[in-house]
Amino acid sequence: MRYSVCVRDCYDTCFLKSDFTDGKLKLYPREDHPLTAGFLCRKGLRMAEWAFSKERLTSPLFNTSKGVGNFQEISISEALNVFKEKIEEISSKWGSEKILVFEFAGNRGIISRFFPFRFFNKINASFVKYNLCDSGGAEALTDVYGLPVGLSPEDVRDSKLIVYWGLNAVKTNLHGFNYFRRKGFKIAAIDIRESETVRLADFSLKVLPGSDIFLALLLAKIMVEDGFYDEKFVRANSCGFDEFISYLRGLDYQILCENSGVSFEKAHSFARMFYQYRGVIHIGYGFQRSLEGPQAVAFISYLPLLVGHLPGFIYDMNVGLDKEYVKAPHLRTEPPNFIYQSELAEAIEKGKVKFLFIYNSNPMATNPNINRLKRALLENDVFVVLHDLFLTDTAYYADLIFPAKTSFEHLDIVDSYYHKYVGINEKIFEYAGYSNYELAKLLAEVFGFQDKELFESEESIIKYLLESKGVRFEEIMGKGFVRIERKFSLKTPSGKVEFVSSRRKERGLVDFPYLSTLRIPKGNEQFKFRLISVTFGDTISSQYTNIFSSRIDKRIYLNSEDATRLGLKGGDKVRVYNQYGEIITDLGIDDTLPLGVALMYKAFWKRIAGFSVNELTTDEVVKEFGCQTAYHSTMVNIEGIFEDSLG
């Protein structure tokens, strides 16, 4: 038995033991872990199948027909030489800043994710800035608290209520959901539909898309005006509270209720319960991926403060492992250049990218407006290299592909953005391909670099990371995981929670917005429906699409009233379209959806599903809040496809 960690981009970060005997991999969830003990989720149960999939790549490939895929096997030495020649050609002709590394959290192992930065820092390449996920909320929380790091679930004290706001925890945080159930917490859920979490919650509020800020302000107004708050605590730990009270007084209950879709009676009951049980809030990432979403995060985060928590939100966790050490930015001789993830297509169109290296990511499935990205890759002179396990959608637009390893095939250390446990991930077996660490070393060798940082052992890196936090390597190897304490402290200039934020003012933003100016997409004659694209329970963004291909739900869902108005019923084939593209799929009915809203599951591989919802999603961003992507501000139209129209 050896120690493993699930490295998927998931809150839970599960710890397990792995046994590899007679060519078979068996996985056992750790029974002794306080948060993830006892079971694996459906995705975790399929990890052995994923690791030994017959679809895994086993040798480097050269693609002679970008966009179509005409793959020819080549040797690793040939692939490395092609890579080197292209890098040298582009650096000489265009400059090293035209080399872009595009990566994300497809493998959350710290070495796997960040060690390749060392090689690319050495050659002065450009990197992406993350804005596909939660950059907007992180910016908003930093305005208020000085950082986006909140509570670990084990740090929740003096509360008996957990609120899942815009988060389907039963599908995306199941171990956390069960943890709070075991602890006897009341569970509340706030969502636009009856999700699995809403169905199991003790209390729920159904809101309109884009209304989160209206609901947060409605609850805050009730709590302040009806005395459901700890005034002494709030005044001692914040600045600008009087201005916030004045702002709330100027808001109209009727307007807040109408715009949130929540009645005053339900909001009042919720506010009283939140005060009575001293609620904490797990703030989801999804709803902030909209034009109006990031700003809402700040106002949601005020609610636990009102009942005496500092902090009182779960959002991100960072125990402080030195990831900059793993990246080794000192190897650079030129200042770093950054390009936002969602602006990849635009950067290619403008000639800012001539060489693109992609790992831990599948942008042709997960980026917004992927039709634009497809055109950019096909119509511009950019050499694309991919390091991956499978022939993903992105692979068909790559020129050169290196086969990757699974997390079971290399040593690593893994932290969590939900809890404070760090786990060791041991190498279990050898199958095929190269880990991100191994490939980065091979690239350094073929370039003839001698810097010791480019060849530091995995064990040495892990020892440094742990020892800098007071943990011995032997300790984690003995138990498999350790808890690293990080005490919360405010990082604002005032040293307090800022209702009136100096950081917001530096960006020219108001503390208390005029609600009439919020950019909330509404249906019109051209595009009648707001498209919400949510996580499918059996996949993590695009990961596992090939493993769960027979289970994926490709339908677009409408309320039956909207369907009837279109002359449609469940099961009908429909065309969904807007200015970015169109897809053909089947109609599903969900009467818990608000009118005017269409819902689809996100980021399935087009080569498996026949389309990706991101052929339709907008690539607009919220510039003032971390250039947050606005996937959920997409508007579409829907029309039936009948036999006579197929003609």
Side-chain angles (χ1 to χ4, degrees):
M1 288 282 200
R2 294 190 178 182
Y3 296 127
S4 296
V5 185
C6 180
V7 299
R8 301 282 73 81
D9 188 12
C10 167
Y11 288 112
D12 295 15
T13 311
C14 291
F15 300 99
L16 43 145
K17 290 184 178 180
S18 299
D19 177 66
F20 186 67
T21 305
D22 298 328
K24 292 185 178 180
L25 177 64
K26 293 183 179 179
L27 308 176
Y28 302 91
R30 296 290 299 267
E31 297 291 341
D32 56 346
H33 193 273
L35 284 166
T36 70
F39 69 95
L40 296 176
C41 72
R42 193 193 302 269
K43 297 176 283 289
L45 290 170
R46 300 284 288 272
M47 281 196 292
E49 177 186 345
W50 164 79
F52 288 98
S53 169
K54 293 180 180 178
E55 296 181 12
R56 276 192 60 181
L57 301 176
T58 57
S59 63
L61 301 174
F62 194 80
N63 184 7
T64 61
S65 184
K66 189 182 287 187
V68 177
N70 182 15
F71 302 106
Q72 299 177 358
E73 287 191 8
I74 59 175
S75 68
I76 184 63
S77 60
E78 289 175 309
L80 292 169
N81 285 331
V82 169
F83 184 99
K84 182 174 185 288
E85 289 169 6
K86 277 293 179 182
I87 287 284
E88 290 174 340
E89 173 191 334
I90 286 162
S91 296
S92 174
K93 186 176 181 180
W94 299 101
S96 58
E97 71 276 6
K98 304 289 186 181
I99 301 165
L100 177 66
V101 181
F102 191 105
E103 53 78 35
F104 206 25
N107 181 328
R108 292 196 62 259
I110 292 174
I111 295 174
S112 181
R113 185 168 181 187
F114 297 119
F115 184 81
F117 278 58
R118 293 190 177 188
F119 169 79
F120 287 102
N121 273 322
K122 175 67 177 178
I123 65 171
N124 294 306
S126 298
F127 294 95
V128 290
K129 273 191 175 181
Y130 310 128
N131 72 325
L132 297 185
C133 185
D134 63 328
S135 61
E139 196 83 49
L141 289 171
T142 303
D143 288 340
V144 175
Y145 291 86
L147 75 173
V149 175
L151 291 167
S152 166
E154 290 181 301
D155 294 332
V156 175
R157 299 283 187 272
D158 302 319
S159 175
K160 279 298 177 183
L161 172 67
I162 177 73
V163 180
Y164 292 106
W165 194 309
L167 173 71
N168 188 5
V170 171
K171 289 296 186 181
T172 61
N173 181 214
L174 183 55
H175 291 88
F177 182 89
N178 284 349
Y179 172 82
F180 283 108
R181 269 283 190 243
R182 290 198 308 271
K183 294 292 183 180
F185 276 66
K186 294 286 185 182
I187 293 180
I190 297 173
D191 212 322
I192 66 167
R193 62 179 178 129
E194 189 179 288
S195 67
E196 291 84 354
T197 304
V198 169
R199 287 198 289 271
L200 292 175
D202 301 297
F203 192 94
S204 64
L205 292 176
K206 182 180 174 182
V207 298
L208 297 173
S211 72
D212 302 278
I213 191 170
F214 291 96
L215 179 59
L217 290 169
L218 172 59
L219 294 173
K221 183 175 173 69
I222 292 170
M223 291 168 71
V224 169
E225 295 185 357
D226 283 25
F228 298 152
Y229 77 107
D230 185 337
E231 182 175 6
K232 184 177 179 181
F233 179 89
V234 176
R235 291 193 179 279
N237 291 284
S238 69
C239 60
F241 185 54
D242 285 329
E243 290 90 334
F244 184 56
I245 292 175
S246 178
Y247 175 65
L248 292 176
R249 284 175 181 156
L251 301 177
D252 182 85
Y253 276 124
Q254 183 176 349
I255 291 174
L256 294 175
C257 290
E258 288 176 354
N259 281 277
S260 67
V262 176
S263 70
F264 179 83
E265 292 73 22
K266 282 193 173 183
H268 196 276
S269 294
F270 187 94
R272 184 192 299 112
M273 178 183 67
F274 192 80
Y275 174 66
Q276 177 185 353
Y277 291 105
R278 298 191 71 229
V280 297
I281 301 176
H282 189 159
I283 305 173
Y285 294 159
F287 71 85
Q288 69 181 268
R289 298 169 194 154
S290 61
L291 294 174
E292 73 288 338
Q295 198 165 198
V297 173
F299 289 92
I300 293 168
S301 78
Y302 292 144
L303 300 177
L305 177 72
L306 294 178
V307 300
H309 291 301
L310 186 62
F313 62 87
I314 296 172
Y315 183 81
D316 191 14
M317 179 46 58
N318 182 344
V319 295
L321 295 179
D322 188 358
K323 293 168 185 176
E324 289 302 300
Y325 174 82
V326 188
K327 297 177 183 179
H330 65 274
L331 292 172
R332 302 188 68 88
T333 57
E334 298 176 10
N337 178 56
F338 296 95
I339 293 170
Y340 281 105
Q341 290 168 299
S342 69
E343 296 178 353
L344 177 59
E346 180 181 352
I348 294 171
E349 292 165 353
K350 292 183 175 180
K352 295 180 180 180
V353 178
K354 294 295 182 180
F355 185 103
L356 179 61
F357 181 78
I358 303 169
Y359 73 100
N360 285 0
S361 186
N362 184 13
M364 282 303 298
T366 58
N367 260 41
N369 194 2
I370 55 177
N371 284 330
R372 181 183 182 185
L373 178 56
K374 175 177 69 176
R375 290 190 298 270
L377 290 171
L378 293 177
E379 296 173 5
N380 294 274
D381 180 22
V382 55
F383 191 83
V384 181
V385 180
L386 174 69
H387 188 206
D388 211 322
L389 291 160
F390 303 104
L391 287 177
T392 63
D393 286 352
T394 301
Y396 285 80
Y397 292 85
D399 298 282
L400 179 65
I401 303 171
F402 288 98
K405 282 184 174 178
T406 68
S407 55
F408 298 106
E409 299 165 78
H410 62 84
L411 179 66
D412 214 329
I413 187 172
V414 188
D415 64 354
S416 172
Y417 55 90
Y418 181 62
H419 54 69
K420 292 182 176 178
Y421 292 93
V422 175
I424 194 76
N425 183 76
E426 295 185 271
K427 182 175 180 178
I428 311 299
F429 60 84
E430 184 81 27
Y431 183 75
Y434 307 89
S435 70
N436 295 343
Y437 169 83
E438 290 169 337
L439 181 58
K441 287 211 309 180
L442 287 173
L443 294 174
E445 287 174 1
V446 79
F447 275 77
F449 296 146
Q450 301 296 316
D451 309 73
K452 66 181 187 303
E453 295 93 334
L454 300 175
F455 303 98
E456 184 179 6
S457 72
E458 295 153 301
E459 184 174 320
S460 172
I461 295 170
I462 292 170
K463 284 182 176 179
Y464 174 85
L465 293 174
L466 291 174
E467 288 172 2
S468 65
K469 302 301 291 185
V471 178
R472 292 181 302 108
F473 181 73
E474 291 74 18
E475 182 181 350
I476 200 169
M477 290 302 297
K479 188 177 181 181
F481 63 84
V482 294
R483 189 177 194 268
I484 296 179
E485 189 55 55
R486 173 176 177 161
K487 192 172 182 179
F488 177 85
S489 62
L490 291 164
K491 303 295 184 183
T492 55
S494 66
K496 295 186 175 184
V497 179
E498 296 189 353
F499 288 96
V500 174
S501 166
S502 55
R503 191 171 181 271
R504 273 193 290 241
K505 284 181 171 54
E506 288 173 2
R507 304 205 308 283
L509 303 178
V510 298
D511 291 297
F512 309 120
Y514 294 103
L515 298 181
S516 60
T517 65
L518 294 177
R519 295 179 291 169
I520 301 177
K522 302 288 186 182
N524 53 48
E525 282 303 311
Q526 185 180 17
F527 300 122
K528 297 182 175 66
F529 298 97
R530 181 169 181 172
L531 178 64
I532 306 297
S533 46
V534 300
T535 298
F536 184 61
D538 291 343
T539 60
I540 299 178
S541 200
S542 77
Q543 291 193 66
Y544 290 104
T545 298
N546 54 333
I547 303 302
F548 286 100
S549 59
S550 63
R551 294 181 55 87
I552 60 177
D553 187 347
K554 301 186 289 184
R555 290 171 289 183
I556 186 166
Y557 286 90
L558 291 177
N559 188 296
S560 60
E561 288 187 42
D562 278 331
T564 298
R565 274 193 286 271
L566 295 174
L568 300 170
K569 62 182 184 303
D572 283 348
K573 195 164 291 295
V574 295
R575 173 178 172 250
V576 188
Y577 64 94
N578 60 13
Q579 67 270 41
Y580 305 115
E582 70 171 39
I583 62 176
I584 306 298
T585 189
D586 296 327
L587 179 66
I589 300 298
D590 181 353
D591 281 329
T592 71
L593 282 172
L595 296 177
V597 172
L599 182 140
M600 292 187 73
Y601 293 108
K602 67 175 183 178
F604 297 145
W605 300 4
K606 182 173 181 176
R607 76 168 180 86
I608 290 175
F611 58 81
S612 168
V613 70
N614 285 324
E615 293 177 86
L616 302 173
T617 49
T618 179
D619 51 8
E620 288 186 88
V621 297
V622 188
K623 290 184 178 180
E624 61 271 29
F625 283 97
C627 277
Q628 174 65 61
T629 48
Y631 291 94
H632 302 315
S633 293
T634 298
M635 301 300 297
V636 298
N637 217 352
I638 301 171
E639 61 183 30
I641 298 176
F642 304 103
E643 288 188 12
D644 58 349
S645 66
L646 298 176

